[in-house]
Amino acid sequence: MNNILEIILDKVNKNIVNLRDFPHITKNGKWTTTKDGYWTGGFWVGLLWLCYKITKDKKYKELAYSWAERLKGRRFDKTFDLGFLFYPSFVLGYKFTGDENLGRISLDAAKTLSTLVHKKSKFVYCVTYLNGEKVGRTIIDVMMNLPLLWWAFEETGNGIYYDIAYTHSIRTIEEFIRGSYSTIHVIDFDLDTGNIIRKITTQGYRDESCWSRGQAWAIYGFALAYKTAKDKIFLKTAKKLASYFIEHLPEDYVPYWDFNDPEKSVKDSSAAAIASSGLLTLSNLSRQERFKEIAMKILNSLSSKQYLAKGDGDGILKHGCFHKPAGLGVDECLIWGDYYFVEALMKIMGELE
Ligand code: GLY
């Protein structure tokens, strides 16, 4: 483990020196960056917080603060990605430091997210355009933005946060999860009636297929929904989603970007990292050791030289896939893959729950 941590810290230290903007995905091994943090800036801040937790070195805390400062203004953005942006950055920072200012900013972001619920469909959503018309859009990934609302409920006792997260989770079971417990990626709906217009899998192989990262977001999201709401339907759902994921893993336990892609040539190490962290949480909540055993197998594989980018390139985990149909970040490092990999390792080390 010490050897892996050395590789991780070495990478983060190099990135601290070189980065001027938020790392997003690599291109030929070098970070491409975003000025405003797009949907991924929170993971870089979160990685700095994790390094602080591992090393207790104040350098990482100061850097996490200064990068978080650059994200702060995004807390009023009308996007369902607010959980990705503010949980690993501000909520995690608040948990690690107890700094109430970080807590207040997290609550601002949670308040904004709580305004993004559609009254009729009951989904947390964004507005997008379909054939020139405004429509509502919600995606499976939202399940891993809800932790910002679950946290806000636990922090304030305000049931509005609970109700929104609970109802979105139930609606996700109803509309996103197939009989096989594979998941759909995107739902577009009519803004006036809430009626569903179409179900598609934009980042996957085809609309009927199962995009492995979407499945991973769902596993982790439902495990965390159960952690706060304690409704058994969420535990059952997380377990079934996890079983589907596990049954479709190849020999090295790192999934292809889409479970139904017949070519089986492109992996997504970030789906493996997210799932491993989610499976560790699910193992605790369900008291089922088998989920931890699989998480360990995934992490062993990700820690091997096949996936761990020792020396080569800017990121920590090789062989991620951001958006295969658009040709973006294919067989590259992805900042959220790095974050969840380190998070999962820290759970194994007993540094995180
Ligand atoms: N949330 C966007 C993605 O997972 O690619």
Side-chain angles (χ1 to χ4, degrees), residues 39 81 84 139 141 185 203 211 213 217 322 336:
W39 65 275
D81 287 328
F84 287 142
I139 59 179
D141 322 29
H185 178 201
Q203 278 169 254
W211 173 51
R213 192 162 65 254
W217 291 135
F322 173 35
W336 60 94

Side-chain angles (χ1 to χ4, degrees), residues 212-213 215-217 219-220 242 245-246 249 253 255 259 269-282 291 294-295 298-299 302 340 344 347:
S212 60
R213 192 162 65 254
Q215 192 78 9
W217 291 135
I219 294 167
Y220 204 167
F245 190 95
I246 292 165
L249 286 175
Y253 293 92
F259 289 121
S269 57
S270 79
I274 296 160
S276 67
S277 196
L279 288 172
L280 290 171
T281 295
L282 182 59
F291 294 124
I294 301 291
I298 294 174
L299 289 170
L302 294 180
Y340 285 106
K347 288 181 184 175

Side-chain angles (χ1 to χ4, degrees), residues 17 19 21 25 27 39 54 66 80 84 111 131 133 143 148 163 197 207 214 219 235 252 262 267 331:
V17 174
L19 285 168
D21 292 310
I25 57 178
K27 190 166 183 188
W39 65 275
I54 296 167
S66 73
F80 50 45
F84 287 142
K111 252 182 229 158
N131 305 324
E133 301 282 333
M143 282 306 301
L148 181 63
D163 289 346
I197 299 169
D207 290 340
I219 294 167
L235 183 63
D252 72 354
K267 295 282 184 109
D331 201 17

